mmCIF file of all heavy atoms in Angstrom:
data_model
loop_
_atom_site.group_PDB
_atom_site.id
_atom_site.type_symbol
_atom_site.label_atom_id
_atom_site.label_comp_id
_atom_site.label_asym_id
_atom_site.label_seq_id
_atom_site.Cartn_x
_atom_site.Cartn_y
_atom_site.Cartn_z
ATOM 1 N N ASP A 30 -151.047 -276.418 -71.660
ATOM 2 C CA ASP A 30 -150.099 -275.552 -72.361
ATOM 3 C C ASP A 30 -149.796 -276.094 -73.762
ATOM 4 O O ASP A 30 -149.853 -275.362 -74.760
ATOM 5 C CB ASP A 30 -148.783 -275.451 -71.585
ATOM 6 C CG ASP A 30 -148.959 -274.794 -70.232
ATOM 7 O OD1 ASP A 30 -149.943 -275.105 -69.544
ATOM 8 O OD2 ASP A 30 -148.110 -273.976 -69.851
ATOM 9 N N TRP A 33 -152.816 -276.032 -76.114
ATOM 10 C CA TRP A 33 -153.132 -274.652 -76.491
ATOM 11 C C TRP A 33 -152.173 -274.173 -77.579
ATOM 12 O O TRP A 33 -152.596 -273.624 -78.601
ATOM 13 C CB TRP A 33 -153.040 -273.752 -75.260
ATOM 14 C CG TRP A 33 -153.669 -272.402 -75.452
ATOM 15 C CD1 TRP A 33 -154.956 -272.041 -75.163
ATOM 16 C CD2 TRP A 33 -153.028 -271.222 -75.978
ATOM 17 N NE1 TRP A 33 -155.158 -270.712 -75.468
ATOM 18 C CE2 TRP A 33 -154.000 -270.191 -75.974
ATOM 19 C CE3 TRP A 33 -151.760 -270.945 -76.439
ATOM 20 C CZ2 TRP A 33 -153.717 -268.904 -76.412
ATOM 21 C CZ3 TRP A 33 -151.466 -269.659 -76.889
ATOM 22 C CH2 TRP A 33 -152.435 -268.662 -76.868
ATOM 23 N N ARG A 40 -154.428 -273.270 -86.143
ATOM 24 C CA ARG A 40 -155.408 -272.292 -86.615
ATOM 25 C C ARG A 40 -154.727 -271.150 -87.371
ATOM 26 O O ARG A 40 -155.298 -270.599 -88.315
ATOM 27 C CB ARG A 40 -156.226 -271.761 -85.431
ATOM 28 C CG ARG A 40 -157.240 -272.788 -84.911
ATOM 29 C CD ARG A 40 -158.164 -272.200 -83.863
ATOM 30 N NE ARG A 40 -157.499 -272.040 -82.579
ATOM 31 C CZ ARG A 40 -157.371 -272.999 -81.673
ATOM 32 N NH1 ARG A 40 -157.844 -274.215 -81.919
ATOM 33 N NH2 ARG A 40 -156.776 -272.768 -80.517
ATOM 34 N N THR A 55 -157.222 -263.706 -79.081
ATOM 35 C CA THR A 55 -156.685 -263.906 -77.742
ATOM 36 C C THR A 55 -155.266 -263.381 -77.651
ATOM 37 O O THR A 55 -154.568 -263.224 -78.660
ATOM 38 C CB THR A 55 -156.707 -265.403 -77.368
ATOM 39 O OG1 THR A 55 -156.259 -265.567 -76.014
ATOM 40 C CG2 THR A 55 -155.798 -266.209 -78.294
ATOM 41 N N TYR A 62 -143.809 -268.633 -79.604
ATOM 42 C CA TYR A 62 -143.749 -270.073 -79.832
ATOM 43 C C TYR A 62 -144.856 -270.564 -80.767
ATOM 44 O O TYR A 62 -144.584 -271.367 -81.671
ATOM 45 C CB TYR A 62 -143.774 -270.829 -78.507
ATOM 46 C CG TYR A 62 -143.581 -272.321 -78.695
ATOM 47 C CD1 TYR A 62 -142.426 -272.815 -79.297
ATOM 48 C CD2 TYR A 62 -144.553 -273.230 -78.286
ATOM 49 C CE1 TYR A 62 -142.252 -274.183 -79.489
ATOM 50 C CE2 TYR A 62 -144.374 -274.592 -78.465
ATOM 51 C CZ TYR A 62 -143.219 -275.060 -79.071
ATOM 52 O OH TYR A 62 -143.054 -276.416 -79.262
ATOM 53 N N GLY A 74 -146.292 -279.688 -92.709
ATOM 54 C CA GLY A 74 -147.594 -280.219 -92.335
ATOM 55 C C GLY A 74 -147.725 -280.227 -90.820
ATOM 56 O O GLY A 74 -146.749 -279.993 -90.098
ATOM 57 N N ALA A 88 -132.048 -276.760 -79.449
ATOM 58 C CA ALA A 88 -131.200 -277.128 -78.310
ATOM 59 C C ALA A 88 -129.725 -277.098 -78.680
ATOM 60 O O ALA A 88 -128.887 -276.638 -77.890
ATOM 61 C CB ALA A 88 -131.597 -278.507 -77.789
ATOM 62 N N VAL A 92 -126.562 -274.898 -77.237
ATOM 63 C CA VAL A 92 -125.265 -275.459 -76.857
ATOM 64 C C VAL A 92 -124.133 -274.647 -77.492
ATOM 65 O O VAL A 92 -123.144 -274.297 -76.832
ATOM 66 C CB VAL A 92 -125.180 -276.940 -77.268
ATOM 67 C CG1 VAL A 92 -123.746 -277.460 -77.159
ATOM 68 C CG2 VAL A 92 -126.105 -277.795 -76.397
ATOM 69 N N THR A 95 -123.823 -271.286 -75.845
ATOM 70 C CA THR A 95 -123.163 -271.406 -74.546
ATOM 71 C C THR A 95 -121.643 -271.372 -74.713
ATOM 72 O O THR A 95 -120.929 -270.698 -73.954
ATOM 73 C CB THR A 95 -123.597 -272.710 -73.860
ATOM 74 O OG1 THR A 95 -125.024 -272.712 -73.697
ATOM 75 C CG2 THR A 95 -122.947 -272.861 -72.490
ATOM 76 N N ALA A 113 -120.455 -278.909 -73.239
ATOM 77 C CA ALA A 113 -120.544 -280.355 -73.013
ATOM 78 C C ALA A 113 -121.490 -280.669 -71.855
ATOM 79 O O ALA A 113 -122.288 -281.622 -71.931
ATOM 80 C CB ALA A 113 -119.148 -280.917 -72.738
ATOM 81 N N LEU A 114 -121.409 -279.893 -70.783
ATOM 82 C CA LEU A 114 -122.324 -280.102 -69.649
ATOM 83 C C LEU A 114 -123.773 -279.941 -70.081
ATOM 84 O O LEU A 114 -124.648 -280.735 -69.702
ATOM 85 C CB LEU A 114 -121.999 -279.107 -68.527
ATOM 86 C CG LEU A 114 -120.717 -279.340 -67.730
ATOM 87 C CD1 LEU A 114 -120.480 -278.182 -66.762
ATOM 88 C CD2 LEU A 114 -120.787 -280.660 -66.966
ATOM 89 N N LEU A 123 -134.862 -283.891 -71.704
ATOM 90 C CA LEU A 123 -136.245 -284.344 -71.552
ATOM 91 C C LEU A 123 -137.279 -283.315 -71.987
ATOM 92 O O LEU A 123 -138.473 -283.637 -72.051
ATOM 93 C CB LEU A 123 -136.503 -284.756 -70.096
ATOM 94 C CG LEU A 123 -135.773 -286.029 -69.652
ATOM 95 C CD1 LEU A 123 -136.007 -286.297 -68.170
ATOM 96 C CD2 LEU A 123 -136.225 -287.230 -70.476
ATOM 97 N N CYS A 148 -121.676 -256.789 -77.730
ATOM 98 C CA CYS A 148 -121.824 -255.330 -77.727
ATOM 99 C C CYS A 148 -120.927 -254.688 -76.666
ATOM 100 O O CYS A 148 -120.264 -253.676 -76.923
ATOM 101 C CB CYS A 148 -123.283 -254.954 -77.462
ATOM 102 S SG CYS A 148 -124.419 -255.356 -78.793
ATOM 103 N N LEU A 165 -133.509 -258.361 -80.150
ATOM 104 C CA LEU A 165 -133.379 -259.784 -79.840
ATOM 105 C C LEU A 165 -133.993 -260.115 -78.485
ATOM 106 O O LEU A 165 -134.698 -261.127 -78.331
ATOM 107 C CB LEU A 165 -131.907 -260.189 -79.871
ATOM 108 C CG LEU A 165 -131.598 -261.670 -79.621
ATOM 109 C CD1 LEU A 165 -132.326 -262.562 -80.624
ATOM 110 C CD2 LEU A 165 -130.105 -261.910 -79.678
ATOM 111 N N THR A 192 -118.460 -249.604 -66.737
ATOM 112 C CA THR A 192 -118.969 -248.621 -67.688
ATOM 113 C C THR A 192 -119.503 -247.411 -66.930
ATOM 114 O O THR A 192 -120.153 -247.556 -65.892
ATOM 115 C CB THR A 192 -120.094 -249.230 -68.547
ATOM 116 O OG1 THR A 192 -119.612 -250.409 -69.180
ATOM 117 C CG2 THR A 192 -120.581 -248.261 -69.598
ATOM 118 N N LEU A 213 -143.863 -253.660 -80.337
ATOM 119 C CA LEU A 213 -144.898 -252.740 -80.810
ATOM 120 C C LEU A 213 -145.939 -253.389 -81.719
ATOM 121 O O LEU A 213 -147.150 -253.182 -81.509
ATOM 122 C CB LEU A 213 -144.244 -251.548 -81.504
ATOM 123 C CG LEU A 213 -145.192 -250.416 -81.907
ATOM 124 C CD1 LEU A 213 -145.894 -249.832 -80.683
ATOM 125 C CD2 LEU A 213 -144.424 -249.322 -82.649
ATOM 126 N N ALA A 247 -145.884 -273.643 -51.365
ATOM 127 C CA ALA A 247 -146.500 -274.769 -50.647
ATOM 128 C C ALA A 247 -146.671 -274.460 -49.162
ATOM 129 O O ALA A 247 -147.299 -275.226 -48.439
ATOM 130 C CB ALA A 247 -145.650 -276.021 -50.822
ATOM 131 N N ARG A 279 -154.761 -255.804 -60.689
ATOM 132 C CA ARG A 279 -155.071 -254.874 -59.607
ATOM 133 C C ARG A 279 -154.981 -255.556 -58.258
ATOM 134 O O ARG A 279 -154.380 -255.022 -57.317
ATOM 135 C CB ARG A 279 -156.477 -254.280 -59.801
ATOM 136 C CG ARG A 279 -156.593 -253.235 -60.878
ATOM 137 C CD ARG A 279 -157.913 -252.491 -60.764
ATOM 138 N NE ARG A 279 -159.058 -253.401 -60.895
ATOM 139 C CZ ARG A 279 -159.658 -253.681 -62.052
ATOM 140 N NH1 ARG A 279 -159.220 -253.138 -63.173
ATOM 141 N NH2 ARG A 279 -160.691 -254.491 -62.091
ATOM 142 N N TYR A 304 -136.089 -274.233 -57.440
ATOM 143 C CA TYR A 304 -134.851 -274.993 -57.643
ATOM 144 C C TYR A 304 -134.863 -276.380 -57.003
ATOM 145 O O TYR A 304 -133.833 -277.055 -57.008
ATOM 146 C CB TYR A 304 -133.668 -274.211 -57.072
ATOM 147 C CG TYR A 304 -133.361 -272.936 -57.819
ATOM 148 C CD1 TYR A 304 -133.617 -271.688 -57.252
ATOM 149 C CD2 TYR A 304 -132.787 -272.975 -59.081
ATOM 150 C CE1 TYR A 304 -133.317 -270.514 -57.927
ATOM 151 C CE2 TYR A 304 -132.487 -271.807 -59.768
ATOM 152 C CZ TYR A 304 -132.753 -270.581 -59.183
ATOM 153 O OH TYR A 304 -132.454 -269.431 -59.865
ATOM 154 N N TYR A 311 -141.443 -283.416 -66.355
ATOM 155 C CA TYR A 311 -142.152 -284.662 -66.050
ATOM 156 C C TYR A 311 -143.664 -284.613 -66.279
ATOM 157 O O TYR A 311 -144.235 -285.548 -66.845
ATOM 158 C CB TYR A 311 -141.875 -285.081 -64.607
ATOM 159 C CG TYR A 311 -140.612 -285.877 -64.399
ATOM 160 C CD1 TYR A 311 -139.511 -285.696 -65.224
ATOM 161 C CD2 TYR A 311 -140.497 -286.800 -63.367
ATOM 162 C CE1 TYR A 311 -138.335 -286.407 -65.031
ATOM 163 C CE2 TYR A 311 -139.331 -287.523 -63.162
ATOM 164 C CZ TYR A 311 -138.258 -287.322 -63.997
ATOM 165 O OH TYR A 311 -137.102 -288.037 -63.806
ATOM 166 N N LEU A 330 -134.160 -293.049 -62.924
ATOM 167 C CA LEU A 330 -134.234 -291.868 -63.781
ATOM 168 C C LEU A 330 -134.217 -290.600 -62.939
ATOM 169 O O LEU A 330 -133.494 -289.638 -63.251
ATOM 170 C CB LEU A 330 -135.494 -291.905 -64.642
ATOM 171 C CG LEU A 330 -135.736 -290.671 -65.526
ATOM 172 C CD1 LEU A 330 -134.633 -290.534 -66.572
ATOM 173 C CD2 LEU A 330 -137.107 -290.741 -66.201
ATOM 174 N N TYR A 338 -128.262 -282.479 -62.078
ATOM 175 C CA TYR A 338 -128.669 -281.078 -61.864
ATOM 176 C C TYR A 338 -128.040 -280.510 -60.597
ATOM 177 O O TYR A 338 -127.469 -279.404 -60.625
ATOM 178 C CB TYR A 338 -130.191 -281.015 -61.784
ATOM 179 C CG TYR A 338 -130.756 -279.769 -61.158
ATOM 180 C CD1 TYR A 338 -130.675 -278.539 -61.797
ATOM 181 C CD2 TYR A 338 -131.397 -279.828 -59.917
ATOM 182 C CE1 TYR A 338 -131.206 -277.392 -61.222
ATOM 183 C CE2 TYR A 338 -131.942 -278.691 -59.336
ATOM 184 C CZ TYR A 338 -131.836 -277.471 -59.987
ATOM 185 O OH TYR A 338 -132.370 -276.347 -59.410
ATOM 186 N N PHE A 352 -116.587 -265.164 -61.429
ATOM 187 C CA PHE A 352 -117.283 -264.205 -62.297
ATOM 188 C C PHE A 352 -117.614 -262.906 -61.560
ATOM 189 O O PHE A 352 -118.606 -262.250 -61.866
ATOM 190 C CB PHE A 352 -118.566 -264.852 -62.836
ATOM 191 C CG PHE A 352 -118.313 -266.049 -63.701
ATOM 192 C CD1 PHE A 352 -118.271 -267.320 -63.151
ATOM 193 C CD2 PHE A 352 -118.083 -265.910 -65.062
ATOM 194 C CE1 PHE A 352 -118.017 -268.431 -63.939
ATOM 195 C CE2 PHE A 352 -117.834 -267.009 -65.857
ATOM 196 C CZ PHE A 352 -117.794 -268.277 -65.300
ATOM 197 N N ALA A 360 -119.489 -260.489 -64.816
ATOM 198 C CA ALA A 360 -120.529 -260.406 -63.784
ATOM 199 C C ALA A 360 -121.923 -260.655 -64.336
ATOM 200 O O ALA A 360 -122.872 -260.848 -63.565
ATOM 201 C CB ALA A 360 -120.478 -259.042 -63.100
ATOM 202 N N HIS A 385 -135.320 -273.758 -66.172
ATOM 203 C CA HIS A 385 -134.720 -274.304 -67.385
ATOM 204 C C HIS A 385 -133.947 -273.234 -68.160
ATOM 205 O O HIS A 385 -132.896 -273.505 -68.758
ATOM 206 C CB HIS A 385 -135.807 -274.917 -68.275
ATOM 207 C CG HIS A 385 -135.308 -275.408 -69.588
ATOM 208 N ND1 HIS A 385 -135.366 -274.646 -70.741
ATOM 209 C CD2 HIS A 385 -134.720 -276.570 -69.956
ATOM 210 C CE1 HIS A 385 -134.848 -275.317 -71.749
ATOM 211 N NE2 HIS A 385 -134.449 -276.481 -71.306
#
Side-chain angles (χ1 to χ4, degrees):
D30 296 42
W33 194 92
R40 286 187 285 276
T55 184
Y62 185 59
V92 168
T95 301
L114 288 174
L123 291 176
C148 291
L165 182 57
T192 305
L213 187 60
R279 285 193 300 269
Y304 293 109
Y311 275 30
L330 176 64
Y338 162 69
F352 297 91
H385 175 264

